Amino acid sequence: MSQQKQLPLIKLPKIFDDCYLSFAQTPDHIPFTIKRVYYILKSDPKLPRGHHAHKKTRQVIFCIQWSVKLIFDVGKRKREILLEESNVGVLIDKMIWHEMTDFKNDTILLILASKVFNEKDYIRDYAQFKKQAKT
Ligand code: TYD
C-alpha cells in the first residue's frame, strides 16, 4: 500500500476569453475514459459528503466554484487537501477513502468518473475500507 502524502493533481488549461474557460479531455488531462459526469451544488455547509471509497471507479474531482476540503485516506491515515482553483482537480483512484467538508453556500463540484454508477462499487464503512486496504 502506497503511503502517498498527497493525491495527484490535474491542472487543466484556463483560457481567459472575457470569461474563464477550462476543458478536460482524454487522455491529455484525464487518465481514463470518462463514462459518467456528475455535479454537486447547494450542499448544506454543515453536512459532509462522500464518506466512502470505490472498489473500481476512478474519479477526478474539480471544485469549479468556491472551495471544499477533501479528506482522503489511502489506507494509512487521513490527510486533507483544499480544492479552491476551478482548473485544478484531484485524482481519486480506486480504493481511496474520501470525504468532502467545509462546503460554502455556493460551492460547486464537478466530478468525472471512469465507470457508470453502481452502488456495489462503494465501500461505505470506514472499518471495512481499512480492512480491505491492507490486503
Ligand atoms: P453519493 O455518491 O453517496 O454522494 P456523495 O459522494 O456526494 O456523498 O450519492 C448520493 C446518492 O446519489 C446515492 O443515493 C447514490 C446516488 N447517485 C446516483 O444515483 N448516481 C450517481 O452517479 C451518483 C454519484 C450518486
Side-chain angles (χ1 to χ4, degrees):
M1 172 59 58
S2 148
Q3 301 310 323
Q4 215 168 327
K5 287 198 173 132
Q6 201 48 276
L7 296 179
L9 296 177
I10 292 179
K11 189 165 186 178
L12 302 180
K14 188 173 184 180
I15 296 168
F16 184 70
D17 179 16
D18 298 330
C19 70
Y20 283 120
L21 186 155
S22 289
F23 58 91
Q25 57 191 34
T26 301
D28 312 67
H29 313 110
I30 307 300
F32 51 76
T33 302
I34 299 162
K35 293 269 182 69
R36 178 165 51 111
V37 175
Y38 63 96
Y39 40 88
I40 296 172
L41 61 160
K42 304 279 179 206
S43 185
D44 184 335
K46 294 186 290 298
L47 296 179
R49 299 206 60 90
H51 275 264
H52 60 247
H54 290 282
K55 295 176 194 163
K56 293 192 175 152
T57 303
R58 308 176 75 200
Q59 302 191 101
V60 181
I61 301 181
F62 292 94
C63 180
I64 60 169
Q65 183 162 280
W66 280 102
S67 62
V68 76
K69 190 194 284 181
L70 185 106
I71 297 167
F72 67 94
D73 184 348
V74 299
K76 179 80 173 166
R77 71 175 177 85
K78 289 186 182 178
R79 297 181 185 276
E80 62 184 55
I81 178 173
L82 184 69
L83 286 182
E84 56 183 347
E85 287 179 73
S86 60
N87 64 322
V88 179
V90 61
L91 176 65
I92 307 283
D93 229 315
K94 59 187 177 177
M95 287 306 287
I96 294 183
W97 183 266
H98 54 287
E99 305 166 13
M100 287 84 83
T101 66
D102 296 16
F103 279 82
K104 309 295 175 210
N105 280 325
D106 292 324
T107 291
I108 300 179
L109 303 184
L110 175 72
I111 299 110
L112 311 176
S114 67
K115 299 213 174 281
V116 297
F117 176 77
N118 179 0
E119 185 58 44
K120 291 194 182 119
D121 187 56
Y122 282 71
I123 302 171
R124 292 191 183 272
D125 180 73
Y126 188 59
Q128 182 67 31
F129 162 75
K130 294 295 257 186
K131 212 159 106 187
Q132 281 189 232
K134 274 193 196 150
T135 58

